[in-house]
Amino acid sequence: MMRLLIIALLLIAPLISGCTALKQSAAQAMMPASQQPHWPTPESLGFNLQAQQVLTINHGDDSHTMTVALEVNPQKLTLVALSPVGVPIAIITWDGVKLDKQSPTGMDISVIPFELILDSIFYSYWPEAALEAMLDDSNWQLQQTYDTNLATSNASQTSLIERKVLQNNKLILEINYKKHRQPQGQINLVDHRTKLATALTTIQWIQ
């Protein structure tokens, strides 16, 4: 048992180091504060979701990757960050009022900017109506582009290919969708204020 624990810790160590570097990189980018006070409720997503994805964050020459499992139901959002061997290193929950962050391994998860990661998830997945408080807080406007070749009666869920968040016609966030509900599909988000680029590559999507 002790040998297995030592092996697990050795495998997790590079991730801890990478997350520390990410925090330093984020600090250099003068990261904005999270919009947590204005986050939407889990229920406002409009459907239950289970997704496993590879999260990659790039800033300049720094690149950091982790696997995440996202589950959303009307009661709460749960985001689990996994080590390279599938060990949960962080469990983040949001019930619409309270944010809770736990580490089953005892890792210092303060080095991972989960609040900003959740900002990205909300802007990427939640419907426009549910984002009104986040947008109004910063006086931002949301523009959406759809693939008319894929338009259906549920166009907002099936044919969205791009979102742009603007402030006084200045581009703040840019989100591109590439068959993100399918394996190897992606969501790519660029924060033009900080030049941070976030990619979510789908492993599994159950809706």
Side-chain angles (χ1 to χ4, degrees):
M1 177 64 72
M2 181 59 69
R3 183 181 179 186
L4 290 174
L5 177 60
I6 291 172
I7 292 173
L9 290 173
L10 287 172
L11 288 167
I12 292 170
L15 179 60
I16 298 173
S17 176
C19 291
T20 301
L22 174 59
K23 185 178 183 181
Q24 294 169 346
S25 178
Q28 293 169 359
M30 295 184 292
M31 290 298 295
S34 167
Q35 292 183 296
Q36 180 183 342
H38 306 282
W39 282 350
T41 64
E43 183 178 17
S44 63
L45 177 62
F47 54 87
N48 289 356
L49 174 63
Q50 292 181 353
Q52 186 172 355
Q53 296 168 305
V54 176
L55 171 68
T56 304
I57 301 177
N58 295 294
H59 179 254
D61 295 330
D62 294 324
S63 180
H64 308 285
T65 299
M66 71 178 75
T67 300
V68 295
L70 175 68
E71 182 174 358
V72 184
N73 59 44
Q75 288 72 45
K76 66 179 179 180
L77 173 157
T78 303
L79 181 70
V80 180
L82 304 169
S83 77
V85 291
V87 176
I89 59 171
I91 301 175
I92 313 301
T93 59
W94 167 250
D95 63 5
V97 177
K98 180 183 177 182
L99 177 68
D100 184 64
K101 298 186 288 185
Q102 303 289 335
S103 175
T105 64
M107 171 185 169
D108 178 11
I109 59 175
S110 67
V111 300
I112 307 176
F114 281 113
E115 289 85 354
L116 293 174
I117 291 171
L118 285 175
D119 278 359
S120 298
I121 288 174
F122 289 130
Y123 274 119
S124 297
Y125 293 155
W126 262 247
E128 181 177 4
L131 298 173
E132 287 183 359
M134 292 179 72
L135 293 165
D136 290 347
D137 174 57
S138 300
N139 192 28
W140 289 355
Q141 299 81 44
L142 179 66
Q143 293 181 355
Q144 302 186 110
T145 302
Y146 299 94
D147 186 343
T148 56
N149 294 322
L150 298 176
T152 69
S153 59
N154 193 18
S156 64
Q157 297 300 331
T158 59
S159 61
L160 183 64
I161 58 174
E162 185 180 64
R163 272 180 167 173
K164 290 183 178 180
V165 176
L166 302 99
Q167 184 181 49
N168 299 323
N169 295 318
K170 181 179 180 180
L171 187 60
I172 304 296
L173 303 174
E174 188 172 9
I175 308 169
N176 289 282
Y177 301 82
K178 299 177 182 178
K179 299 180 179 179
H180 64 282
R181 288 174 168 78
Q182 301 178 17
Q184 300 306 311
Q186 279 194 336
I187 294 177
N188 293 284
L189 184 149
V190 177
D191 187 328
H192 288 276
R193 299 167 298 175
T194 61
K195 306 305 180 185
L196 277 173
T198 303
L200 285 160
T201 303
T202 299
I203 300 171
Q204 184 180 49
W205 181 285
I206 302 174
Q207 179 180 327

